[in-house]
């Protein structure tokens, strides 16, 4: 069982792909070929892809050849960087695996990074660290840099200070549906520059991305873990406390149920805990002064808060380092009052019987609400609290997880809003045009759909949360 129907790949013969194979430097594989599984591997094991043909791109020229091949046969194009947010099975599609395009270049004289289209954050952070610079990266080092930016890019360390990562993109290179390689900047392709930063993967294959870096070598942060018996007190104290933090500090909270596996740190193995995540750009003394009300709640079962090099920012959330099978749902809230916290405690607290591995609430605000210097399509700047639930386990558990995830979304529904942040759109589950219109808001959606019509009139790039050409 997977999260979408898969009737099996539409087939192409070896003769049909002979020209493509000759033009592409990377592997070009059909479903029966030995390398097919590797080219199709996804981080979320619950969202497999089964394209008609998979192309391991090594350059923009490889991408152009694959897009032109697909366009010539009217086949959809699917883009896979890491497989954290696969929406559709890519059946019948030409899949571009971007993982070989992983060059990173840091320019410390201009505080800029340029990366190729398949780079993950874990490949960037050690390079930027060398110069005491930091990108507005996300919670997980395994996430793809381009996919993250195309949806906005919410950084748990730098977001409240500097806004969404997409606000700091300087230039992109993209292969559009006509097979052209375009340099996209605010002056060269203003509409595309606006749409790509927030409109996700609807407009083409991004082969390179250039973005600003911030001077930062270390920050103070990590997590405080509290036993389940304190869940209500921790959640209510955190909710009141977090709204008073300055933008240099960021916090989120998670209900965690960690499986009894040996790789789990001992105090968390097989238990329910509340995880308060915290990061501060201010010095340790000031951070600890503001953290005091949280530390006073109860003794912690684990405390990982310390000074960290920015390349260790993944330690704040402790997202899984290796592929896992999961299902997820998210909600965007304008408010998180006492009643909402109580409803969440009833749905997923220690006595709820829920089996979700994680339900997190990120408190946003600060620069995340600010319009960017160069306008872009990032949706959800009015969201104040972001809720994500996750069930991880074997496919036969999907129905139970789906029911419990629905309980989470229902619990906070009175405080939820339609417009939300695109990186939170559920993996494994497509959205209807009407849902996507509500998520982006009418004006933004109409402009995205008009730009889509100009650059991808036949909707070649539709294996995603799809904006249909207007
Ligand atoms: C554990 C975890 C933690 C996360 N933490 C954060 C966070 O802190 N902040 C945040 O904002 N988001 C976060 N996300 C969401 C994440 O940013 C999105 O899921 C993002 O789309 C993942 O991109 P990817 O390339 O890794 O995944 P993929 O599944 O490979 O790609 C996701 C989408 O982007 C498209 N895409 C990828 N590369 C390209 C390219 N080169 N050209 C065109 N399209 C491309 C794909 O086609 C697909 O539609 C998190 C997700 C997970 C699973």
């Amino acid at each position: 069982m997977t999260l979408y129907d898969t009737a099996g790949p539409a087939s192409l013969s070896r003769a049909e792909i002979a020209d493509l194979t000759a033009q592409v430097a990377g592997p070009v594989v059909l479903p029966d070929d030995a390398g097919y599984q590797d080219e199709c591997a996804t981080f979320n094991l619950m969202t497999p892809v089964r394209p008609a043909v998979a192309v391991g791109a090594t350059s923009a020229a490889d991408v152009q050849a694959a897009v032109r091949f697909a366009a010539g046969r009217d086949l959809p194009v699917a883009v896979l960087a890491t497989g954290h947010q696969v929406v559709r099975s890519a059946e019948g599609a030409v899949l571009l695996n971007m993982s070989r395009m992983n060059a990173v270049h840091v320019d410390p004289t201009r505080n800029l990074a340029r990366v190729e289209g398949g780079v993950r954050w874990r490949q960037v952070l050690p390079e930027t660290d060398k110069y005491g610079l930091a990108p507005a990266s996300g919670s997980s080092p395994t996430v793809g840099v381009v996919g993250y930016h195309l949806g906005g890019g919410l950084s748990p360390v730098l977001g409240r200070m500097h806004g969404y990562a997409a606000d700091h993109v300087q230039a992109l290179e993209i292969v559009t549906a006509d097979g052209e390689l375009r340099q996209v900047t605010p002056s060269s392709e203003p509409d595309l520059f606006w749409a790509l930063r927030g409109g996700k993967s609807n407009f083409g294959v991004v082969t390179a991305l250039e973005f600003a870096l911030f001077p930062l070598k270390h920050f103070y942060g990590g997590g405080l873990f509290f036993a389940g018996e304190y869940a209500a007190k921790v959640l209510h104290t955190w909710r009141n406390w977090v709204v008073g933090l300055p933008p240099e500090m960021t916090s989120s909270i998670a209900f965690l149920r960690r499986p009894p596996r040996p790789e789990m740190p001992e105090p968390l193995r097989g238990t329910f805990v509340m995880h308060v995540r915290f990061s501060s750009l201010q010095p340790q003394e000031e951070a600890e002064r503001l953290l005091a009300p949280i530390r006073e709640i109860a003794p912690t079962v684990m405390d990982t808060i310390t000074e960290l090099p920015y390349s260790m920012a993944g330690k704040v959330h402790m997202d899984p380092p290796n592929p896992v099978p999961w299902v997820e749902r998210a909600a965007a809230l304008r408010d998180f009052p006492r009643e909402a916290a109580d409803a969440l405690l009833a749905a997923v607290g220690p006595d709820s019987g829920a089996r979700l591995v994680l339900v997190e609430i990120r408190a946003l605000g600060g620069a995340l609400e600010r319009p960017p210097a160069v306008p872009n399509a990032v949706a959800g700047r009015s969201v104040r609290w972001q809720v994500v639930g996750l069930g991880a386990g074997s496919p036969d558990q999907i129905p139970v997880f789906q029911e419990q995830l629905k309980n989470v979304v229902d619990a906070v529904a009175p405080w939820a809003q339609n417009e939300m942040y695109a990186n939170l759109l559920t993996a494994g589950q497509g959205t209807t045009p009407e849902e996507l219109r509500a998520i982006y808001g009418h004006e933004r959606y109409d402009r995205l759909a008009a730009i889509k019509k100009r650059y991808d009139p036949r909707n070649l790039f539709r294996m995603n949360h799809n904006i249909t050409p207007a």
Side-chain angles (χ1 to χ4, degrees), residues 43 78-87 98 117-118 138-140 142-148 150 152-156 200-201 204-207 319-320 326 328 362 421 423 463-464:
F43 192 84
V79 187
L80 180 69
T82 71
H84 280 77
Q85 197 186 24
V86 174
V87 180
M98 301 296 288
S139 65
S140 167
T142 64
V143 160
V145 175
V146 170
Y148 173 85
L150 296 184
L154 170 61
S155 169
K200 299 272 331 175
S201 55
V205 188
V206 175
T207 53
D319 290 331
W326 82 84
E328 64 192 0
R362 295 192 192 193
Y421 169 55
N423 272 353
M463 295 291 165
N464 44 28

Side-chain angles (χ1 to χ4, degrees), residues 192-203:
L192 208 45
F193 190 70
W194 176 85
L196 279 167
R197 294 169 307 133
K200 299 272 331 175
S201 55
N202 276 283
F203 304 93

Side-chain angles (χ1 to χ4, degrees), residues 119-125 135-138 140-141 143 145 148-149 211:
V119 164
R120 297 176 189 242
W121 279 122
R122 70 176 177 216
Q123 295 163 310
V124 177
L125 298 177
S137 52
S140 167
V143 160
V145 175
Y148 173 85
H149 276 92
F211 50 91

Side-chain angles (χ1 to χ4, degrees), residues 87-432:
V87 180
R88 297 171 206 274
S89 66
E91 249 161 67
V94 175
L95 178 97
L96 275 158
N97 179 325
M98 301 296 288
S99 63
R100 290 169 186 79
M101 294 185 63
N102 57 16
V104 176
H105 175 72
V106 178
D107 180 350
T109 62
R110 295 193 301 151
N111 289 5
L112 284 181
R114 180 191 157 86
V115 303
E116 283 189 317
V119 164
R120 297 176 189 242
W121 279 122
R122 70 176 177 216
Q123 295 163 310
V124 177
L125 298 177
E127 298 305 314
T128 51
D129 245 19
K130 285 179 192 165
Y131 303 100
L133 295 171
S137 52
S139 65
S140 167
T142 64
V143 160
V145 175
V146 170
Y148 173 85
H149 276 92
L150 296 184
L154 170 61
S155 169
V157 179
L158 293 174
R160 278 166 46 80
M161 197 61 194
H162 297 291
Y164 285 96
D167 303 349
H168 302 286
V169 168
Q170 310 288 309
L172 307 101
E173 281 175 20
I174 180 174
V175 175
T176 41
D178 54 6
E180 289 301 309
L181 176 65
R182 295 169 196 267
Q183 310 293 323
V184 184
T185 66
S187 52
S188 67
E189 301 264 7
D191 282 342
L192 208 45
F193 190 70
W194 176 85
L196 279 167
R197 294 169 307 133
K200 299 272 331 175
S201 55
N202 276 283
F203 304 93
V205 188
V206 175
T207 53
L209 178 73
E210 195 175 284
F211 50 91
L213 303 168
F214 305 97
L216 180 70
K217 191 122 191 84
H218 294 93
F219 72 103
Y220 188 69
L224 298 176
F225 297 79
F226 295 93
E229 63 192 286
Y230 301 109
K233 193 167 172 205
V234 174
L235 186 60
H236 284 299
T237 309
W238 177 83
R239 187 179 59 77
N240 285 320
W241 165 83
V242 75
V243 291
L245 290 182
E248 295 89 346
M249 295 185 191
T250 305
S251 183
S252 62
I253 193 166
F255 298 72
L256 284 190
R257 278 184 182 76
R258 292 287 124 155
R261 293 216 197 95
E263 68 268 23
M264 289 293 145
E266 211 285 299
L268 308 185
R269 201 177 299 154
T271 57
F272 175 100
V273 288
M274 293 297 282
H275 179 193
V276 176
R277 296 88 160 256
F278 176 75
S279 68
S280 170
L281 304 175
Q282 291 193 3
Q284 174 170 352
E285 305 76 59
E286 179 58 7
E288 280 298 337
R289 191 181 69 74
L290 286 172
L291 255 182
I294 299 295
R295 290 200 181 278
E296 280 161 15
I297 297 170
T300 53
V301 293
M302 195 165 103
D303 174 353
T304 65
I305 294 185
T306 184
E307 188 179 77
L308 292 167
Y310 188 76
S311 55
M312 294 285 112
K315 286 199 178 294
V316 176
H317 279 234
M318 290 175 41
D319 290 331
N322 299 311
V324 256
W326 82 84
V327 286
E328 64 192 0
R329 276 192 73 180
L333 310 188
R334 49 181 185 278
D335 202 7
F336 186 55
R338 161 167 288 279
E339 295 78 11
D342 284 337
L344 262 189
L345 283 161
V348 289
D351 305 322
S352 63
R355 286 155 56 192
L356 302 177
V357 287
L358 171 135
V359 175
E360 73 171 21
I361 306 135
R362 295 192 192 193
L364 307 185
L368 294 165
E369 291 175 14
R370 202 169 60 196
V374 182
N376 59 36
V378 173
R381 286 182 201 267
S382 57
V383 176
R384 302 300 303 275
W385 310 83
Q386 185 175 281
V387 180
V388 180
L390 225 132
S394 55
D396 58 300
Q397 293 171 294
I398 291 178
V400 175
F401 292 151
Q402 298 286 31
E403 192 187 319
Q404 293 176 357
L405 290 168
K406 182 175 180 307
N407 292 343
V408 171
V409 173
D410 287 350
V412 294
W415 303 278
Q417 61 177 54
N418 286 331
E419 190 178 316
M420 71 191 271
Y421 169 55
N423 272 353
L424 281 194
L425 295 175
T426 308
Q429 247 172 266
T431 30
T432 63

